[in-house]
Amino acid sequence: MRQVSTPAAHQRRLGAAGIARCRLGIVLVSVLLAALAQTGRAAAMSSRLNDAQTELEEDKLSEEVNDPTAMLTQLRLFEFYTPENFRSQAQTNVALVQPIIPIARLSLLPVEQIIRPTVKLSTTATGPGAQTVTGMSDIQLYDLFQSQWPHLERWNLRWAIGTTFVFPTATDRKNGAGAWQIGPAAALAFAGVPNLWVGLLVQNPISFAYTRSDAIPQNTMLFQPGFSYRLGHGWYVKSTDSVWTINWRHGTPTTIPVSFGVGKISQLEGQMVDTWVSGERMAYEQSTAVTPMWTVRFGLNFIFPEFVLGR
C-alpha cells in the first residue's frame, strides 16, 4: 500500500535534514577550529623555541667575538677616530679590515689554527701642526695553534701559541716601519665565571730585514688584555680593544691605553652581526712621537658560526 506524504511529514523530514546538516557543519567547524588552534600553538611554541635558541646563540657569540682563541669565523670592519693627539694638532683616523679564519685539524697538521690578517688605511699626523697623510699601513698577521693539551675544558680555559708577522706594505714612511718582522704570539682565555670572559693576546714582532736604509730596528711587545661581560639578549660590555705597546729598545716609546665599550649581537636576515662602540683614553705614555690622547672606536663584525675552513 502506497504511503501518502502529508505536508506535516514532509516538513518534519526537511527539519531533520537541516538539523543533520547543522550538526555536520558544527563538527566540521569544530575540527577546523581545533586544527587552527593546534597549528597556532605549534607556531607559537616553535617561535618561542626559535627565539630562545637565537638568544642562547647571541649570548654565546657575545663572548666568542672578543676571544682570540675562539674558533669563530668573522669579518671585522673597524673605524678608529682620534680627535686629539699628544704633540700634534692633527685629528687622525684608522680604518681596518680584519678577517678571522679558523682552520680545522688536517691530516698533515692535527691541530686547530686561527689566522688573523689586519689591513689598515691610516690618516697619520706628520708633525706638530694639523697636517696629515693618508695611506696604507703595514699589514699584520698572526697564526695561532690551538692547544689540545692539557684538557682544560672543565675550567673553561683555553690557550694558543703561534707566530706574528708584519709586512712592510705602507705607502708612506709615517704609516709604517719599513721593516719585515716576525716573532712569537700567544693567547689565553678564561670563562669559568658565569657571563664573564677574561683573556689576553700577546705579540712580539722583531725586525730582520728592511726596505730602506734609515729604517729603525723594531722589537715591540703588543700586549692586549681584556674582559667582557654578557648582559643577556646579545648585549655585552667589554674592555678588549686597547693594545699596550712596549718597545724593548732604549729610547723608544711605550704607551698604555685603557678602553671601555658596549656591543650587541643580533640577527639580520639570517646573518649574525656584532656591532659595538667604545672609547679609549691614554693612561700612560712615554714617547717623543705623536700619540693618541683619546679615541672613539666603532666596529661592525659579520659572524659565520657554522664555517670552519677544512671542516
Side-chain angles (χ1 to χ4, degrees), residues 269-296:
E269 297 295 331
Q271 173 64 56
M272 301 302 293
V273 178
D274 170 34
T275 53
W276 57 267
V277 61
S278 71
E280 180 180 85
R281 176 73 183 183
M282 189 61 65
Y284 172 82
E285 60 97 17
Q286 177 187 329
S287 174
T288 58
V290 176
T291 305
M293 187 179 299
W294 63 280
T295 301
V296 181

PDB file of all heavy atoms in Angstrom, residues 269-296:
ATOM      1  N   GLU A 269      68.360  39.232   8.828  1.00  0.00           N
ATOM      2  CA  GLU A 269      68.051  38.407   7.655  1.00  0.00           C
ATOM      3  C   GLU A 269      68.848  37.099   7.657  1.00  0.00           C
ATOM      4  O   GLU A 269      69.393  36.670   6.648  1.00  0.00           O
ATOM      5  CB  GLU A 269      68.323  39.190   6.366  1.00  0.00           C
ATOM      6  CG  GLU A 269      67.470  40.431   6.178  1.00  0.00           C
ATOM      7  CD  GLU A 269      65.995  40.114   6.006  1.00  0.00           C
ATOM      8  OE1 GLU A 269      65.686  39.027   5.507  1.00  0.00           O
ATOM      9  OE2 GLU A 269      65.155  40.958   6.386  1.00  0.00           O
ATOM     10  N   GLY A 270      68.938  36.476   8.851  1.00  0.00           N
ATOM     11  CA  GLY A 270      69.650  35.213   8.982  1.00  0.00           C
ATOM     12  C   GLY A 270      71.143  35.333   9.181  1.00  0.00           C
ATOM     13  O   GLY A 270      71.815  34.330   9.452  1.00  0.00           O
ATOM     14  N   GLN A 271      71.706  36.549   9.077  1.00  0.00           N
ATOM     15  CA  GLN A 271      73.136  36.767   9.241  1.00  0.00           C
ATOM     16  C   GLN A 271      73.405  37.311  10.640  1.00  0.00           C
ATOM     17  O   GLN A 271      72.836  38.322  11.047  1.00  0.00           O
ATOM     18  CB  GLN A 271      73.648  37.758   8.192  1.00  0.00           C
ATOM     19  CG  GLN A 271      75.097  38.200   8.378  1.00  0.00           C
ATOM     20  CD  GLN A 271      76.068  37.049   8.223  1.00  0.00           C
ATOM     21  OE1 GLN A 271      76.072  36.374   7.211  1.00  0.00           O
ATOM     22  NE2 GLN A 271      76.898  36.825   9.232  1.00  0.00           N
ATOM     23  N   MET A 272      74.293  36.647  11.386  1.00  0.00           N
ATOM     24  CA  MET A 272      74.664  37.128  12.708  1.00  0.00           C
ATOM     25  C   MET A 272      75.638  38.297  12.560  1.00  0.00           C
ATOM     26  O   MET A 272      76.623  38.218  11.827  1.00  0.00           O
ATOM     27  CB  MET A 272      75.300  36.017  13.530  1.00  0.00           C
ATOM     28  CG  MET A 272      74.416  34.797  13.728  1.00  0.00           C
ATOM     29  SD  MET A 272      72.824  35.169  14.527  1.00  0.00           S
ATOM     30  CE  MET A 272      73.369  35.665  16.166  1.00  0.00           C
ATOM     31  N   VAL A 273      75.334  39.389  13.287  1.00  0.00           N
ATOM     32  CA  VAL A 273      76.107  40.621  13.182  1.00  0.00           C
ATOM     33  C   VAL A 273      76.437  41.117  14.581  1.00  0.00           C
ATOM     34  O   VAL A 273      75.603  41.068  15.488  1.00  0.00           O
ATOM     35  CB  VAL A 273      75.327  41.709  12.406  1.00  0.00           C
ATOM     36  CG1 VAL A 273      76.112  43.004  12.349  1.00  0.00           C
ATOM     37  CG2 VAL A 273      75.005  41.235  10.995  1.00  0.00           C
ATOM     38  N   ASP A 274      77.662  41.597  14.747  1.00  0.00           N
ATOM     39  CA  ASP A 274      78.117  42.188  16.003  1.00  0.00           C
ATOM     40  C   ASP A 274      78.418  43.665  15.753  1.00  0.00           C
ATOM     41  O   ASP A 274      79.238  43.993  14.894  1.00  0.00           O
ATOM     42  CB  ASP A 274      79.368  41.447  16.494  1.00  0.00           C
ATOM     43  CG  ASP A 274      80.029  42.163  17.671  1.00  0.00           C
ATOM     44  OD1 ASP A 274      79.306  42.766  18.480  1.00  0.00           O
ATOM     45  OD2 ASP A 274      81.276  42.106  17.770  1.00  0.00           O
ATOM     46  N   THR A 275      77.741  44.549  16.479  1.00  0.00           N
ATOM     47  CA  THR A 275      78.020  45.977  16.389  1.00  0.00           C
ATOM     48  C   THR A 275      78.430  46.482  17.773  1.00  0.00           C
ATOM     49  O   THR A 275      77.865  46.066  18.780  1.00  0.00           O
ATOM     50  CB  THR A 275      76.795  46.761  15.902  1.00  0.00           C
ATOM     51  OG1 THR A 275      75.664  46.443  16.725  1.00  0.00           O
ATOM     52  CG2 THR A 275      76.462  46.403  14.451  1.00  0.00           C
ATOM     53  N   TRP A 276      79.406  47.372  17.803  1.00  0.00           N
ATOM     54  CA  TRP A 276      79.881  47.872  19.095  1.00  0.00           C
ATOM     55  C   TRP A 276      80.493  49.261  18.953  1.00  0.00           C
ATOM     56  O   TRP A 276      80.844  49.697  17.846  1.00  0.00           O
ATOM     57  CB  TRP A 276      80.895  46.915  19.722  1.00  0.00           C
ATOM     58  CG  TRP A 276      82.107  46.602  18.889  1.00  0.00           C
ATOM     59  CD1 TRP A 276      82.272  45.563  18.030  1.00  0.00           C
ATOM     60  CD2 TRP A 276      83.325  47.364  18.823  1.00  0.00           C
ATOM     61  NE1 TRP A 276      83.503  45.623  17.429  1.00  0.00           N
ATOM     62  CE2 TRP A 276      84.182  46.713  17.897  1.00  0.00           C
ATOM     63  CE3 TRP A 276      83.777  48.519  19.453  1.00  0.00           C
ATOM     64  CZ2 TRP A 276      85.451  47.180  17.604  1.00  0.00           C
ATOM     65  CZ3 TRP A 276      85.053  48.992  19.152  1.00  0.00           C
ATOM     66  CH2 TRP A 276      85.875  48.322  18.242  1.00  0.00           C
ATOM     67  N   VAL A 277      80.606  49.933  20.080  1.00  0.00           N
ATOM     68  CA  VAL A 277      81.271  51.230  20.147  1.00  0.00           C
ATOM     69  C   VAL A 277      82.024  51.283  21.472  1.00  0.00           C
ATOM     70  O   VAL A 277      81.571  50.727  22.482  1.00  0.00           O
ATOM     71  CB  VAL A 277      80.249  52.387  20.044  1.00  0.00           C
ATOM     72  CG1 VAL A 277      79.248  52.345  21.187  1.00  0.00           C
ATOM     73  CG2 VAL A 277      80.959  53.737  20.021  1.00  0.00           C
ATOM     74  N   SER A 278      83.199  51.904  21.453  1.00  0.00           N
ATOM     75  CA  SER A 278      83.990  52.012  22.674  1.00  0.00           C
ATOM     76  C   SER A 278      84.785  53.308  22.658  1.00  0.00           C
ATOM     77  O   SER A 278      85.000  53.922  21.604  1.00  0.00           O
ATOM     78  CB  SER A 278      84.945  50.813  22.836  1.00  0.00           C
ATOM     79  OG  SER A 278      85.994  50.868  21.885  1.00  0.00           O
ATOM     80  N   GLY A 279      85.192  53.714  23.848  1.00  0.00           N
ATOM     81  CA  GLY A 279      86.062  54.877  23.996  1.00  0.00           C
ATOM     82  C   GLY A 279      87.375  54.465  24.612  1.00  0.00           C
ATOM     83  O   GLY A 279      87.427  53.563  25.459  1.00  0.00           O
ATOM     84  N   GLU A 280      88.457  55.118  24.189  1.00  0.00           N
ATOM     85  CA  GLU A 280      89.791  54.779  24.696  1.00  0.00           C
ATOM     86  C   GLU A 280      90.508  56.049  25.137  1.00  0.00           C
ATOM     87  O   GLU A 280      90.456  57.075  24.455  1.00  0.00           O
ATOM     88  CB  GLU A 280      90.599  54.075  23.610  1.00  0.00           C
ATOM     89  CG  GLU A 280      92.002  53.684  24.046  1.00  0.00           C
ATOM     90  CD  GLU A 280      92.776  52.993  22.927  1.00  0.00           C
ATOM     91  OE1 GLU A 280      93.371  53.719  22.095  1.00  0.00           O
ATOM     92  OE2 GLU A 280      92.756  51.757  22.888  1.00  0.00           O
ATOM     93  N   ARG A 281      91.182  55.949  26.267  1.00  0.00           N
ATOM     94  CA  ARG A 281      91.950  57.063  26.816  1.00  0.00           C
ATOM     95  C   ARG A 281      93.372  56.589  27.112  1.00  0.00           C
ATOM     96  O   ARG A 281      93.569  55.472  27.605  1.00  0.00           O
ATOM     97  CB  ARG A 281      91.298  57.576  28.105  1.00  0.00           C
ATOM     98  CG  ARG A 281      92.063  58.670  28.813  1.00  0.00           C
ATOM     99  CD  ARG A 281      91.968  59.991  28.085  1.00  0.00           C
ATOM    100  NE  ARG A 281      92.770  61.025  28.743  1.00  0.00           N
ATOM    101  CZ  ARG A 281      92.832  62.299  28.360  1.00  0.00           C
ATOM    102  NH1 ARG A 281      92.086  62.703  27.327  1.00  0.00           N
ATOM    103  NH2 ARG A 281      93.576  63.173  28.998  1.00  0.00           N
ATOM    104  N   MET A 282      94.357  57.425  26.775  1.00  0.00           N
ATOM    105  CA  MET A 282      95.749  57.064  27.035  1.00  0.00           C
ATOM    106  C   MET A 282      96.039  57.260  28.518  1.00  0.00           C
ATOM    107  O   MET A 282      96.032  58.388  29.029  1.00  0.00           O
ATOM    108  CB  MET A 282      96.682  57.918  26.189  1.00  0.00           C
ATOM    109  CG  MET A 282      98.131  57.468  26.236  1.00  0.00           C
ATOM    110  SD  MET A 282      98.365  55.785  25.610  1.00  0.00           S
ATOM    111  CE  MET A 282      97.917  55.988  23.887  1.00  0.00           C
ATOM    112  N   ALA A 283      96.280  56.155  29.237  1.00  0.00           N
ATOM    113  CA  ALA A 283      96.547  56.212  30.670  1.00  0.00           C
ATOM    114  C   ALA A 283      98.010  56.528  30.962  1.00  0.00           C
ATOM    115  O   ALA A 283      98.324  57.195  31.967  1.00  0.00           O
ATOM    116  CB  ALA A 283      96.155  54.889  31.329  1.00  0.00           C
ATOM    117  N   TYR A 284      98.913  56.060  30.109  1.00  0.00           N
ATOM    118  CA  TYR A 284     100.343  56.319  30.314  1.00  0.00           C
ATOM    119  C   TYR A 284     101.022  56.325  28.950  1.00  0.00           C
ATOM    120  O   TYR A 284     100.741  55.486  28.103  1.00  0.00           O
ATOM    121  CB  TYR A 284     100.967  55.228  31.193  1.00  0.00           C
ATOM    122  CG  TYR A 284     102.473  55.324  31.294  1.00  0.00           C
ATOM    123  CD1 TYR A 284     103.069  56.201  32.190  1.00  0.00           C
ATOM    124  CD2 TYR A 284     103.302  54.541  30.478  1.00  0.00           C
ATOM    125  CE1 TYR A 284     104.445  56.300  32.284  1.00  0.00           C
ATOM    126  CE2 TYR A 284     104.676  54.634  30.568  1.00  0.00           C
ATOM    127  CZ  TYR A 284     105.247  55.516  31.462  1.00  0.00           C
ATOM    128  OH  TYR A 284     106.612  55.624  31.554  1.00  0.00           O
ATOM    129  N   GLU A 285     101.909  57.288  28.763  1.00  0.00           N
ATOM    130  CA  GLU A 285     102.674  57.319  27.515  1.00  0.00           C
ATOM    131  C   GLU A 285     104.054  57.911  27.788  1.00  0.00           C
ATOM    132  O   GLU A 285     104.218  58.883  28.514  1.00  0.00           O
ATOM    133  CB  GLU A 285     101.937  58.109  26.434  1.00  0.00           C
ATOM    134  CG  GLU A 285     101.653  59.549  26.744  1.00  0.00           C
ATOM    135  CD  GLU A 285     102.677  60.496  26.156  1.00  0.00           C
ATOM    136  OE1 GLU A 285     103.416  60.081  25.244  1.00  0.00           O
ATOM    137  OE2 GLU A 285     102.735  61.654  26.617  1.00  0.00           O
ATOM    138  N   GLN A 286     105.033  57.211  27.241  1.00  0.00           N
ATOM    139  CA  GLN A 286     106.426  57.657  27.312  1.00  0.00           C
ATOM    140  C   GLN A 286     106.928  57.656  25.877  1.00  0.00           C
ATOM    141  O   GLN A 286     107.302  56.614  25.341  1.00  0.00           O
ATOM    142  CB  GLN A 286     107.245  56.722  28.189  1.00  0.00           C
ATOM    143  CG  GLN A 286     108.722  57.071  28.258  1.00  0.00           C
ATOM    144  CD  GLN A 286     109.521  56.019  28.996  1.00  0.00           C
ATOM    145  OE1 GLN A 286     109.002  55.373  29.906  1.00  0.00           O
ATOM    146  NE2 GLN A 286     110.763  55.837  28.624  1.00  0.00           N
ATOM    147  N   SER A 287     106.843  58.823  25.243  1.00  0.00           N
ATOM    148  CA  SER A 287     107.094  58.859  23.818  1.00  0.00           C
ATOM    149  C   SER A 287     107.469  60.255  23.387  1.00  0.00           C
ATOM    150  O   SER A 287     107.093  61.248  24.020  1.00  0.00           O
ATOM    151  CB  SER A 287     105.854  58.383  23.045  1.00  0.00           C
ATOM    152  OG  SER A 287     106.034  58.549  21.670  1.00  0.00           O
ATOM    153  N   THR A 288     108.216  60.342  22.305  1.00  0.00           N
ATOM    154  CA  THR A 288     108.507  61.630  21.684  1.00  0.00           C
ATOM    155  C   THR A 288     107.735  61.773  20.374  1.00  0.00           C
ATOM    156  O   THR A 288     107.836  62.790  19.701  1.00  0.00           O
ATOM    157  CB  THR A 288     110.021  61.750  21.396  1.00  0.00           C
ATOM    158  OG1 THR A 288     110.420  60.665  20.553  1.00  0.00           O
ATOM    159  CG2 THR A 288     110.815  61.715  22.687  1.00  0.00           C
ATOM    160  N   ALA A 289     106.977  60.751  20.018  1.00  0.00           N
ATOM    161  CA  ALA A 289     106.223  60.765  18.767  1.00  0.00           C
ATOM    162  C   ALA A 289     104.789  61.209  19.033  1.00  0.00           C
ATOM    163  O   ALA A 289     104.339  61.325  20.169  1.00  0.00           O
ATOM    164  CB  ALA A 289     106.233  59.378  18.133  1.00  0.00           C
ATOM    165  N   VAL A 290     104.052  61.452  17.947  1.00  0.00           N
ATOM    166  CA  VAL A 290     102.629  61.762  18.056  1.00  0.00           C
ATOM    167  C   VAL A 290     101.895  60.536  18.597  1.00  0.00           C
ATOM    168  O   VAL A 290     102.043  59.427  18.070  1.00  0.00           O
ATOM    169  CB  VAL A 290     102.063  62.177  16.690  1.00  0.00           C
ATOM    170  CG1 VAL A 290     100.561  62.413  16.791  1.00  0.00           C
ATOM    171  CG2 VAL A 290     102.768  63.431  16.181  1.00  0.00           C
ATOM    172  N   THR A 291     101.108  60.747  19.665  1.00  0.00           N
ATOM    173  CA  THR A 291     100.426  59.641  20.339  1.00  0.00           C
ATOM    174  C   THR A 291      98.965  60.008  20.569  1.00  0.00           C
ATOM    175  O   THR A 291      98.673  61.138  20.994  1.00  0.00           O
ATOM    176  CB  THR A 291     101.091  59.342  21.695  1.00  0.00           C
ATOM    177  OG1 THR A 291     102.486  59.107  21.487  1.00  0.00           O
ATOM    178  CG2 THR A 291     100.468  58.140  22.364  1.00  0.00           C
ATOM    179  N   PRO A 292      98.017  59.102  20.312  1.00  0.00           N
ATOM    180  CA  PRO A 292      96.601  59.423  20.554  1.00  0.00           C
ATOM    181  C   PRO A 292      96.346  59.761  22.023  1.00  0.00           C
ATOM    182  O   PRO A 292      96.822  59.066  22.930  1.00  0.00           O
ATOM    183  CB  PRO A 292      95.874  58.139  20.150  1.00  0.00           C
ATOM    184  CG  PRO A 292      96.797  57.466  19.186  1.00  0.00           C
ATOM    185  CD  PRO A 292      98.177  57.789  19.666  1.00  0.00           C
ATOM    186  N   MET A 293      95.580  60.823  22.232  1.00  0.00           N
ATOM    187  CA  MET A 293      95.165  61.200  23.582  1.00  0.00           C
ATOM    188  C   MET A 293      93.896  60.446  23.963  1.00  0.00           C
ATOM    189  O   MET A 293      93.814  59.844  25.029  1.00  0.00           O
ATOM    190  CB  MET A 293      94.943  62.715  23.662  1.00  0.00           C
ATOM    191  CG  MET A 293      94.680  63.240  25.057  1.00  0.00           C
ATOM    192  SD  MET A 293      94.445  65.055  25.075  1.00  0.00           S
ATOM    193  CE  MET A 293      96.039  65.605  24.439  1.00  0.00           C
ATOM    194  N   TRP A 294      92.905  60.491  23.105  1.00  0.00           N
ATOM    195  CA  TRP A 294      91.702  59.684  23.294  1.00  0.00           C
ATOM    196  C   TRP A 294      91.110  59.372  21.933  1.00  0.00           C
ATOM    197  O   TRP A 294      91.291  60.108  20.974  1.00  0.00           O
ATOM    198  CB  TRP A 294      90.702  60.350  24.225  1.00  0.00           C
ATOM    199  CG  TRP A 294      90.142  61.659  23.761  1.00  0.00           C
ATOM    200  CD1 TRP A 294      90.741  62.880  23.851  1.00  0.00           C
ATOM    201  CD2 TRP A 294      88.861  61.880  23.171  1.00  0.00           C
ATOM    202  NE1 TRP A 294      89.922  63.855  23.339  1.00  0.00           N
ATOM    203  CE2 TRP A 294      88.758  63.271  22.923  1.00  0.00           C
ATOM    204  CE3 TRP A 294      87.798  61.056  22.828  1.00  0.00           C
ATOM    205  CZ2 TRP A 294      87.636  63.844  22.339  1.00  0.00           C
ATOM    206  CZ3 TRP A 294      86.669  61.620  22.246  1.00  0.00           C
ATOM    207  CH2 TRP A 294      86.595  62.994  22.013  1.00  0.00           C
ATOM    208  N   THR A 295      90.403  58.233  21.870  1.00  0.00           N
ATOM    209  CA  THR A 295      89.937  57.681  20.600  1.00  0.00           C
ATOM    210  C   THR A 295      88.526  57.115  20.761  1.00  0.00           C
ATOM    211  O   THR A 295      88.208  56.526  21.799  1.00  0.00           O
ATOM    212  CB  THR A 295      90.885  56.565  20.109  1.00  0.00           C
ATOM    213  OG1 THR A 295      92.199  57.098  19.952  1.00  0.00           O
ATOM    214  CG2 THR A 295      90.424  55.982  18.791  1.00  0.00           C
ATOM    215  N   VAL A 296      87.715  57.313  19.737  1.00  0.00           N
ATOM    216  CA  VAL A 296      86.393  56.681  19.664  1.00  0.00           C
ATOM    217  C   VAL A 296      86.468  55.579  18.624  1.00  0.00           C
ATOM    218  O   VAL A 296      86.962  55.795  17.507  1.00  0.00           O
ATOM    219  CB  VAL A 296      85.297  57.694  19.283  1.00  0.00           C
ATOM    220  CG1 VAL A 296      83.935  57.006  19.243  1.00  0.00           C
ATOM    221  CG2 VAL A 296      85.283  58.852  20.264  1.00  0.00           C
TER     222      VAL A 296
END
